[in-house]
Amino acid sequence: STLFPYPTLFRSILPAPMATARAISPAPPTSRKGEATLRRNLKWEAIPQKLFGATPYPYEAEILKSVFKKRSRRITVRATTRAGKSYTMAQIAILAAVFRDNCRVGIIGPTYNKTRIIMNYIADMLASNPDFDDIVMIETSGMNRLERLRKEVSKKRITFHNGSSIECLSVDIDSRGFGAMGHAYDVIIVDETDMIDDESYAKIYRMLVESKEAQIIEIGNPWQLAHFYTHHHDPSWDKIHIRWQDCVEAGRMTAEDVEDQRKNLTELEFRVLFDAEFPDEVENAVFARDAINAMITPRSHERYDYILVGVDVARGGRDRTVITEMGAVGREADFLAHTTMDTRDVMVVAGQTSQIAEGYRAQHRKVAMSVDSIGLGSGVADRLRELGYDCQDLDRKSTRLNSCHIH
């Protein structure tokens, strides 16, 4: 896909030397090399000022650079309250949809009302620049620009003439996240991720296996010691931490107001809402933070020849899917960890297995996989092979596990 399908906007955001250089054609670049060159040279933190008339705060600029310049695949952002999280996510949604052809942007939250906040910001931003008029596919007439845009975003999906779209979606926590099934996006924005339980979040994360270039950006307040906490300690995620001090320095709030809040909040509330730090303990958390740290702190796996990930997909009834991790040295294998899942969904299981594998790959470990390929397991194995993993069908004839002594 091209990075800049709209020449007018494309020319407007280029730095002056590049915009006037004869080497830059009026049309946007279509090659991967051209896209990479622009990502390196463009000042992404300056683009919102040119397109929306809003200069991003330094911490907002950091998020924009992670998404567009570094093109990080996994980005997790914990932020103090009132930092402007929703506004920043709205900017990311528009920039991705406008500057990438056929880009599907999904804004996912614990409830539909949560995602509507971001969609309303999107309407205001699109209305702030007339150059967007010919980009958004709006059929409504007889209204002013802002009214037309608000009419468009009152729907759950906005479409653009370049084939891109922005869609808001509720994960539907009451149904254990199955509201996200059947959907896939190239840019996945998870708002209030701390309010989404791990089982529901798994239905979102599996979207990342749809494409090797797909990106997921999650943001929230650090209330829970769950997936949000784990990602902030996972080397494969790009981590951004926005504290109240960052907002004071940027001029978004004052130190006096923060201290007033400190007097009226409990220690836990202030720690989470303003320091943006995970709590030592949370009432409905099973483990204290120190205990979870001990469990998720990566151990040294250097002595292993490779990491073996085995998958046994549930067959029905009360059966559960199990993913087992082992470290192999020659014909010896050490048990490392296991994950159980109350699902037989092929894409969810493949997504979770991929997430585990990428955690080891981030530690420069070779990963091999074995999947019980009888029944639904064959679909998981096929999907993992499509993603480029060394995946062997596990049956009576399999040699990968049968040749190992497991401790």
Side-chain angles (χ1 to χ4, degrees):
S1 65
T2 58
L3 180 65
F4 296 106
Y6 297 113
T8 301
L9 286 179
F10 164 69
R11 304 287 298 182
S12 72
I13 66 172
L14 285 175
M18 294 181 67
T20 57
R22 295 177 64 88
I24 300 294
S25 66
T30 57
S31 69
R32 295 284 183 192
K33 184 177 180 180
E35 177 180 328
T37 299
L38 281 169
R39 283 209 308 269
R40 287 194 302 270
N41 288 282
L42 286 177
K43 293 184 177 180
W44 287 95
E45 62 273 22
I47 292 176
Q49 172 60 45
K50 295 183 178 181
L51 295 187
F52 311 124
T55 302
Y57 298 118
Y59 53 83
E60 292 177 319
E62 184 181 359
I63 300 172
L64 290 168
K65 286 187 284 187
S66 180
V67 176
F68 296 105
K69 191 163 188 171
K70 293 167 60 179
R71 200 69 178 266
S72 303
R73 289 203 69 198
R74 302 170 185 83
I75 305 165
T76 182
V77 184
R78 55 184 161 126
T80 181
T81 186
R82 309 307 302 163
K85 299 186 294 292
S86 298
Y87 189 84
T88 305
M89 293 302 105
Q91 290 182 346
I92 290 171
I94 294 174
L95 293 175
V98 168
F99 293 141
R100 295 177 188 169
D101 266 338
N102 303 306
C103 180
R104 299 164 299 172
V105 180
I107 302 170
I108 307 175
T111 65
Y112 179 64
N113 286 338
K114 293 289 184 182
T115 64
R116 292 302 312 165
I117 297 173
I118 296 179
M119 291 295 269
N120 287 335
Y121 278 130
I122 288 173
D124 292 337
M125 291 180 191
L126 292 176
S128 69
N129 187 339
D131 288 338
F132 288 121
D133 282 4
D134 296 327
I135 294 175
V136 184
M137 296 177 66
I138 302 176
E139 300 177 358
T140 307
S141 59
M143 301 180 181
N144 62 42
R145 293 178 60 250
L146 182 57
E147 288 173 337
R148 287 187 287 120
L149 287 165
R150 287 204 177 280
K151 178 71 174 179
E152 181 68 16
V153 300
S154 67
K155 307 173 186 177
K156 293 184 179 181
R157 189 168 184 265
I158 305 173
T159 54
F160 297 78
H161 285 292
N162 67 332
S164 294
S165 62
I166 300 175
E167 183 175 18
C168 62
L169 179 71
S170 167
V171 72
D172 193 2
I173 295 174
D174 290 340
S175 71
R176 298 183 301 174
F178 281 94
M181 297 305 297
H183 297 269
Y185 304 105
D186 302 296
V187 176
I188 309 153
I189 297 173
V190 187
D191 191 34
E192 305 289 1
T193 187
D194 53 294
M195 298 176 63
I196 300 174
D197 64 276
D198 284 355
E199 186 175 2
S200 298
Y201 187 87
K203 313 299 193 304
I204 301 172
Y205 191 82
R206 56 96 197 167
M207 298 178 187
L208 206 58
V209 304
E210 290 290 327
S211 166
K212 291 182 178 180
E213 295 184 353
Q215 294 175 284
I216 185 167
I217 306 105
E218 62 175 18
I219 192 164
N221 300 114
W223 281 110
Q224 305 294 336
L225 301 180
H227 63 270
F228 197 29
Y229 180 82
T230 303
H231 296 162
H232 272 275
H233 294 80
D234 186 330
S236 67
W237 284 73
D238 193 1
K239 297 168 280 290
I240 298 174
H241 183 190
I242 305 170
R243 304 168 179 84
W244 66 264
Q245 293 92 335
D246 299 315
C247 294
V248 169
E249 184 176 347
R252 184 169 176 83
M253 60 179 69
T254 67
E256 291 77 16
D257 286 339
V258 173
E259 288 306 313
D260 179 63
Q261 291 293 319
R262 191 194 299 271
K263 296 174 184 177
N264 290 278
L265 296 174
T266 66
E267 183 179 350
L268 171 60
E269 290 169 336
F270 189 86
R271 178 182 178 87
V272 172
L273 292 173
F274 285 90
D275 291 332
E277 294 283 0
F278 288 94
D280 292 315
E281 292 191 39
V282 178
E283 290 181 3
N284 62 344
V286 178
F287 300 104
R289 186 179 63 172
D290 288 344
I292 291 181
N293 267 336
M295 288 188 285
I296 70 171
T297 298
R299 292 176 287 178
S300 174
H301 300 113
E302 293 182 0
R303 77 182 193 87
Y304 300 121
D305 296 332
Y306 62 93
I307 302 299
L308 177 59
V309 180
V311 184
D312 181 13
V313 182
R315 289 171 174 78
R318 300 181 67 181
D319 196 12
R320 294 172 68 86
T321 295
V322 179
I323 304 173
T324 304
E325 305 156 45
M326 292 173 284
V329 180
R331 297 186 61 188
E332 302 292 321
D334 292 338
F335 172 82
L336 300 177
H338 80 278
T339 302
T340 60
M341 304 174 67
D342 188 19
T343 180
R344 292 180 292 160
D345 186 277
V346 168
M347 296 303 291
V348 173
V349 176
Q352 181 65 30
T353 306
S354 174
Q355 181 179 10
I356 291 171
E358 291 305 312
Y360 286 112
R361 283 183 167 182
Q363 301 175 48
H364 307 291
R365 295 291 89 199
K366 179 181 177 181
V367 177
M369 296 180 180
S370 291
V371 178
D372 185 350
S373 58
I374 298 175
L376 292 173
S378 61
V380 174
D382 290 342
R383 182 56 182 162
L384 291 170
R385 279 191 282 265
E386 287 177 4
L387 295 172
Y389 292 108
D390 174 16
C391 183
Q392 184 181 89
D393 293 329
L394 178 60
D395 52 32
R396 293 178 181 178
K397 298 180 181 179
S398 174
T399 59
R400 182 165 285 165
L401 273 181
N402 291 340
S403 63
C404 290
H405 299 290
I406 301 173
H407 302 287

